[in-house]
Amino acid sequence: MKIRIIGKELKITEAINDYVEKKLDRIDKYFEDAEADVTLKTEKNEQTAEICVIANGEKYRAVTEDKDMYASIDRDIDILEGQIRKAKTKKEKMMKDASIKTMEVEKDHIAEISDEIIKTSYYEIKPITPEDAVLELKAHPTHNFLAFINVETGKVNVIHRLKDGKNYGLVEPEA
């Protein structure tokens, strides 16, 4: 990491320089190539540290004031680390969502290709009333529908279980 330390109304000592470099190692582990501009200044009895990190086209910045310069630097590093983690998590989530969307498109594409009948079932159609058809469907909880001949009309009807799981629908042919 390239580090540039600037002191405004403050002489940058070797101790402060080493401390900043040591603390910026926590940030350096997130990037291969990064630059950091550190501006340290004193105003009255407040010590201000501003750290700006530029990496991978992103800019992260933190500014804090404290009575102690070292405490101000520590808080800046904590803030920057939080910003970097948040951005990294956001990018990972976006990448994951993008891959899920791609998978969904592929599944839809597969569904379009395979519109063929792959299973045929045979069963007996009995003449019963719609009420008896409901009872018959209740007796088979794994079935979602039942085709039958309606005793009242003599036509083929279908009784089906609705999505709410409690009620039923009846499909009757017109005329």
Side-chain angles (χ1 to χ4, degrees):
M1 176 181 278
K2 297 176 190 169
I3 302 170
R4 186 172 56 219
I5 303 172
I6 301 166
K8 291 187 178 178
E9 300 171 24
L10 175 74
K11 185 176 184 283
I12 303 299
T13 64
E14 191 66 35
I16 290 176
N17 193 37
D18 291 344
Y19 190 78
V20 168
E21 288 179 4
K22 181 181 147 209
K23 289 297 181 175
L24 281 171
D25 283 344
R26 281 177 47 193
I27 303 299
D28 194 31
K29 69 181 179 186
Y30 292 102
F31 307 108
E32 290 178 18
D33 186 34
E35 293 181 20
D37 290 328
V38 182
T39 305
L40 306 173
K41 60 184 172 184
T42 304
E43 290 178 356
K44 298 179 184 169
N45 56 348
E46 289 292 317
Q47 309 289 324
T48 305
E50 177 183 346
I51 303 175
C52 183
V53 176
I54 300 171
N56 301 337
E58 304 265 340
K59 187 174 184 178
Y60 306 95
R61 184 172 173 268
V63 180
T64 57
E65 291 181 354
D66 201 288
K67 295 195 185 316
D68 179 32
M69 182 60 74
Y70 295 101
S72 187
I73 293 167
D74 287 342
R75 285 182 40 214
D76 277 355
I77 296 296
D78 291 341
I79 290 168
L80 288 170
E81 201 168 21
Q83 290 174 358
I84 293 165
R85 275 200 214 116
K86 183 177 178 182
K88 187 177 178 183
T89 303
K90 190 174 181 181
K91 271 186 188 173
E92 287 172 355
K93 187 173 187 254
M94 285 173 50
M95 296 299 281
K96 182 180 174 186
D97 287 349
S99 65
I100 289 172
K101 287 177 185 172
T102 305
M103 282 181 10
E104 288 173 2
V105 168
E106 288 172 2
K107 286 180 186 174
D108 290 344
H109 183 66
I110 291 169
E112 287 177 18
I113 295 171
S114 61
D115 281 343
E116 61 183 78
I117 299 170
I118 57 171
K119 181 181 176 185
T120 304
S121 299
Y122 298 97
Y123 57 93
E124 181 184 348
I125 296 181
K126 298 185 269 182
I128 55 176
T129 64
E131 292 78 22
D132 289 339
V134 169
L135 294 173
E136 184 78 27
L137 195 55
K138 283 183 180 178
H140 298 92
T142 57
H143 296 155
N144 293 323
F145 68 93
L146 175 71
F148 65 97
I149 297 173
N150 191 332
V151 174
E152 299 161 359
T153 62
K155 296 185 178 181
V156 175
N157 289 184
V158 176
I159 192 89
H160 61 94
R161 200 180 313 271
L162 296 177
K163 288 184 180 179
D164 64 10
K166 300 175 187 172
N167 297 306
Y168 298 88
L170 179 66
V171 180
E172 284 187 274
E174 288 185 15

